[in-house]
Amino acid sequence: MTDPTPTGPLCGVTVLDLTHVLAGPYATGQLALMGAEVIRVERPDGDDFVRRHGGTQEMREKGLGASFLSQNAGKRSIVLNLKEAGDRARALQLAARADIVVENFRPGVAERLGMGFEALRACRPDVICASLSGYGPDGPLSGRPAYDHILQGISGLMAMTGTPESGPMRVGLPIVDYVAGQALVTALLAALLERARRPGKAQRLQVSMLEAMTTLMGAYALHHQTTGALRGLEGNRAFADTPFSGRFDTAEGALVVTANSPAQATRLCAALGRPELAVGAGLSDAQIADALQQVFRTRSATEWDELLARADVPAAPVLTLAEALAHPQMTDSPAWPELPVPELGVTLRAPGLPFRADWAQRRLPPVPLMGADTATILDSLSPLTEAADETA
């Protein structure tokens, strides 16, 4: 059983978490790190694959896969079968105590399980009920299953990721899941503020993964609406459309450079010993980029990084995730606090909140084994459960 020490602005807020996989649990995990009590409802068959995704074989066998550890610190876990009347009654009892109920079933499933908005509002008149789905509650795709890879394809993201040679490529992490999860966090925090402003009213929030992802591409969408042109498979071409920005190969490693302004381009070209390139020198953008590439190949990425830093040119080496976390900038980052995993006898660095705050924890509470808190939570409901069972 987990026993997190409450801290943060959401202390006193209770979240009933009916979500699974990545997007929903990421959102509720962020709420837990802000101090909320999050009760994670898991199904008896244990079919949430992230418990057994990533990490060592021992981690997967214990249901503590790397994907699960990354976003479930401090939650409590209870096993309930929402298809059975007794467990559904217990879930509704928990909902009556919860400020927020979050689910990521396909549209209509929560209602069929007796856990839809109207049923929850009957339990608690000021409940905040949030639904996260691939396509939202309406439209021709609303009933379809959706996963990150699918959403990367249909959102337009893959169509601008890659090169003409590679064709459309997915972004290397499940970015749509996390974008949608962060959108859900924003919606829930806004709903808590709204409830403080107008108490007593239930709220229904609906987050679409497709909508969340496409709203991040507004600049590209408005460019298309006004010019008819679409950004396509441009590889490492910079957003600023300048030859002085992009990814360059060096004698050892790769470097990303962003010299968007004329002043930055001037400093870049001077540092590279080619000041004439900053004014064009009668060359096309492609020729300027090729000339810069030839110079960059003469030194390593580390050497260029140091030289360009002294010249006040934005640049950085291309690192692996392991190298990034081992970088001096990140080794003591509060965004990566310690996570004890007593079941494995280890302490890991795990993602925390993506911002700094005085109340943020520098050591995370552990994640729960599946159903670790079932008995304790059910004991707290026992005076009500018998009556609920009789009427189920």
Side-chain angles (χ1 to χ4, degrees), residues 100-381:
I100 295 170
V101 181
V102 188
E103 52 88 4
N104 63 345
F105 304 121
R106 292 194 211 180
V109 171
E111 285 73 17
R112 291 197 295 273
L113 291 173
M115 297 294 294
F117 178 65
E118 295 302 330
L120 296 172
R121 181 164 61 174
C123 294
R124 176 159 180 164
D126 66 346
V127 69
I128 297 169
C129 182
S131 301
L132 185 149
S133 61
Y135 302 103
D138 46 35
L141 302 180
S142 63
R144 287 194 185 183
Y147 292 89
D148 177 89
H149 206 149
I150 305 301
L151 271 299
Q152 287 201 33
I154 198 171
S155 67
L157 178 61
M158 284 180 67
M160 64 176 73
T161 306
T163 67
E165 293 74 27
S166 71
M169 299 282 289
R170 69 177 289 272
V171 174
L173 75 159
I175 190 169
V176 184
D177 279 319
Y178 293 116
V179 165
Q182 196 61 59
L184 179 56
V185 171
T186 302
L188 290 169
L189 294 179
L192 287 171
L193 289 174
E194 175 67 7
R195 190 173 74 173
R197 190 169 69 98
R198 297 181 180 179
K201 180 182 178 182
Q203 298 178 64
R204 186 174 193 179
L205 309 176
Q206 295 172 321
V207 176
S208 155
M209 296 172 70
L210 177 61
E211 291 172 351
M213 189 66 237
T214 54
T215 57
L216 294 190
M217 297 186 282
Y220 297 102
L222 270 64
H223 176 73
H224 171 64
Q225 291 174 49
T226 53
T227 68
L230 277 171
R231 299 292 293 251
L233 299 173
E234 299 170 348
N236 292 301
R237 180 183 175 187
F239 177 74
D241 292 324
T242 169
F244 304 104
S245 299
R247 194 217 76 181
F248 298 94
D249 293 322
T250 73
E252 183 179 348
L255 190 77
V256 284
V257 179
T258 303
N260 291 339
S261 71
Q264 290 171 336
T266 297
R267 293 197 299 272
L268 169 66
C269 295
L272 268 59
R274 296 292 305 273
E276 76 281 3
L277 295 177
V279 293
L283 302 177
S284 67
D285 283 358
Q287 289 173 319
I288 292 173
D290 287 343
L292 294 174
Q293 178 62 86
Q294 291 176 22
V295 180
F296 277 122
R297 288 187 186 278
T298 63
R299 300 190 187 190
S300 70
T302 299
E303 291 174 295
W304 284 122
D305 180 40
E306 295 172 353
L307 189 153
L308 294 181
R310 291 194 295 271
D312 195 25
V313 175
V318 176
L319 304 180
T320 66
L321 176 59
E323 290 169 335
L325 293 179
H327 192 283
Q329 181 66 34
M330 293 294 294
T331 50
D332 194 36
S333 169
W336 284 86
E338 292 184 341
L339 173 68
V341 190
E343 296 84 359
L344 302 172
V346 298
T347 296
L348 305 173
R349 292 178 69 198
L353 293 168
F355 56 86
R356 301 188 183 201
D358 292 341
W359 44 262
Q361 299 179 57
R362 294 301 298 262
R363 185 176 175 88
L364 300 175
V367 302
L369 290 171
M370 181 174 169
D373 304 285
T374 300
T376 302
I377 295 174
L378 290 184
D379 284 347
S380 73
L381 298 178

Side-chain angles (χ1 to χ4, degrees), residues 22 26 30 33 65-73 178 339 350-352 364 367:
L22 292 178
Y26 169 78
Q30 293 285 286
L33 296 183
S67 295
F68 185 80
L69 290 179
S70 71
Q71 56 193 25
N72 287 284
Y178 293 116
L339 173 68
L364 300 175
V367 302

Side-chain angles (χ1 to χ4, degrees), residues 85-86 89-90 93 384-392:
R90 294 179 179 93
Q93 288 177 278
L384 301 175
T385 300
E386 294 178 5
D389 284 339
E390 290 173 1
T391 59

